[in-house]
Amino acid sequence: MSATLAHPEHPHVLAAGDCAHFLPSPLPRVGVHGVRQGPVLLAGLLARARGEQAPAYRPQRRWLAVLDLGDGRGLAVRGRWWWEGRAALWLKRRIDRRWLARYS
């Protein structure tokens, strides 16, 4: 994959999220990249249909990752900072509900 989300050997193939191997450097498998790549993927597909160059994806340098630990606690990580507990799980559920509400 290139910064345009296109396969380096097959430029007509575009991918986003966990199924994509992003170049110039691989990205961690966290949901934020797939979500933020979505609009760039759409713009790339539309650009290809018009015969234009697909736009580049510029990943965030830092992001918040929150995991549900399955026992009523969560783990939140942003850069070198992390915290765990019920508050982290509450934050994850709040973020997830707000994101899903945008598409309901």
Side-chain angles (χ1 to χ4, degrees):
M1 301 301 303
S2 68
T4 62
L5 304 179
H7 191 283
E9 297 174 14
H10 305 282
H12 58 282
V13 176
L14 299 156
D18 289 352
C19 74
H21 182 77
F22 185 74
L23 295 175
S25 63
L27 298 172
R29 303 290 189 202
V30 293
V32 67
H33 294 300
V35 169
R36 296 200 184 265
Q37 286 173 342
V40 179
L41 178 65
L42 175 59
L45 292 170
L46 295 173
R48 299 282 178 171
R50 295 188 299 265
E52 301 170 2
Q53 179 67 28
Y57 171 68
R58 291 177 177 74
Q60 292 176 239
R61 292 178 55 193
R62 294 184 350 164
W63 56 89
L64 174 66
V66 188
L67 305 170
D68 183 338
L69 298 176
D71 61 356
R73 298 177 305 130
L75 173 66
V77 181
R78 179 172 164 82
R80 294 175 31 202
W81 296 93
W82 64 272
W83 72 95
E84 64 88 22
R86 292 172 49 107
L89 182 59
W90 176 85
L91 177 63
K92 176 183 179 27
R93 290 181 176 163
R94 182 170 186 258
I95 290 169
D96 289 350
R97 278 193 298 270
R98 287 181 65 199
W99 189 80
L100 288 172
R102 291 175 40 192
Y103 301 99
S104 296

